[in-house]
């Protein structure tokens, strides 16, 4: 075998090695994406869990939560209760908005986000929470596209089909 033939063989093997390396990289990126999505879902669940645990373990919050019913009005709460209710509800709004941004980026799974939206829409329909939500909207505390989507907007699968989900469907 001549040096020229050895050189050609080396170039061919080098090309094959590059292709194998690229395929390995694609595989690793996919695995990393799966791991990031799983961790993001876990982190999001952990935050929601903490919200629920704190509501159940704090007697003041538990008392407030039990009073947020279909017949309650914001005027039924004293000034301190209104403040606590507003801050607690604002935290929930911020968490669901965070989930919205994660979903929109294609990191949070569609089915998980759909469940959150169903819960959110039922929560914000209660008169007291709706009043706090409207105040947050007036104060421009929430992203306008998020507000549009969650305010009894179309179902998630329709948004995905309409191309609103920028990263594509990721169920």
């Amino acid at each position: 075998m001549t040096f020229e033939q050895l050189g050609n063989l080396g170039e061919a093997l080098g090309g094959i090695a590059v292709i194998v390396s690229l395929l390995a990289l694609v595989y690793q990126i996919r695995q990393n994406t799966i791991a990031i999505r799983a961790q993001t879902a876990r982190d999001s669940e952990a935050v929601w869990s903490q919200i629920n645990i704190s509501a159940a373990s704090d007697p003041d919050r538990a008392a407030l939560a039990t009073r947020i019913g279909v017949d309650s009005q914001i005027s039924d709460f004293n000034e301190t209760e209104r403040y606590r209710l507003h801050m607690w509800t604002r935290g929930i709004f911020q968490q669901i908005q965070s989930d919205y941004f994660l979903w929109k980026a294609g990191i949070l799974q569609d089915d998980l986000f759909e469940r959150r939206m169903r819960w959110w829409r039922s929560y914000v329909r209660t008169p007291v929470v709706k009043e706090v939500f409207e105040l947050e909207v007036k104060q421009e505390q929430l992203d306008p596209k998020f507000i549009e989507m969650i305010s009894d907007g179309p179902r998630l699968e329709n948004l995905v089909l309409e191309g609103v989900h920028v990263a594509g469907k990721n169920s």
Side-chain angles (χ1 to χ4, degrees):
M1 200 177 257
T2 67
F3 283 120
E4 187 176 323
Q5 289 174 329
L6 284 174
N8 291 339
L9 182 61
E11 284 183 33
L13 290 176
I16 291 171
V18 167
I19 290 171
V20 169
S21 295
L22 287 175
L23 290 175
L25 181 62
V26 166
Y27 175 77
Q28 287 177 341
I29 289 172
R30 284 188 180 162
Q31 292 301 103
N32 189 51
T33 300
I34 290 168
I36 288 171
R37 284 183 179 160
Q39 184 63 41
T40 300
R42 182 182 175 285
D43 292 347
S44 178
E45 286 297 316
V47 170
W48 284 107
S49 174
Q50 190 57 43
I51 288 169
N52 292 331
I53 289 168
S54 69
S57 61
D58 180 341
D60 291 336
R61 247 186 244 164
L64 278 177
T66 58
R67 291 178 52 205
I68 302 173
V70 188
D71 299 327
S72 61
Q73 301 294 324
I74 200 79
S75 58
D76 297 340
F77 297 86
N78 67 40
E79 189 174 327
T80 302
E81 292 172 327
R82 281 194 300 266
Y83 174 77
R84 285 182 167 185
L85 179 64
H86 187 116
M87 290 298 110
W88 178 30
T89 304
R90 177 182 275 183
I92 293 171
F93 295 165
Q94 289 168 330
Q95 178 58 34
I96 196 74
Q97 180 173 252
S98 172
D99 285 355
Y100 164 75
F101 290 130
L102 291 171
W103 170 77
K104 190 174 174 185
I107 296 170
L108 194 63
Q109 294 88 347
D110 292 340
D111 60 337
L112 179 59
F113 188 67
E114 174 68 30
R115 287 192 305 275
R116 298 266 167 75
M117 285 296 96
R118 282 195 304 266
W119 174 84
W120 165 263
R121 288 174 178 157
S122 66
Y123 180 66
V124 84
R125 282 188 190 108
T126 59
V128 172
V129 176
K130 188 174 187 175
E131 209 168 319
V132 175
F133 175 67
E134 289 169 356
L135 181 60
E136 291 295 303
V137 170
K138 284 179 190 171
Q139 293 177 348
E140 299 180 357
Q141 295 295 317
L142 302 170
D143 182 85
K145 292 206 182 285
F146 168 69
I147 293 167
E148 182 181 327
M149 181 188 167
I150 62 165
S151 298
D152 286 331
R155 290 186 50 83
L156 182 66
E157 59 268 15
N158 296 338
L159 291 170
V160 171
L161 292 174
E162 294 169 12
V164 172
H165 190 248
V166 294
K169 190 166 173 69
N170 65 354
S171 297

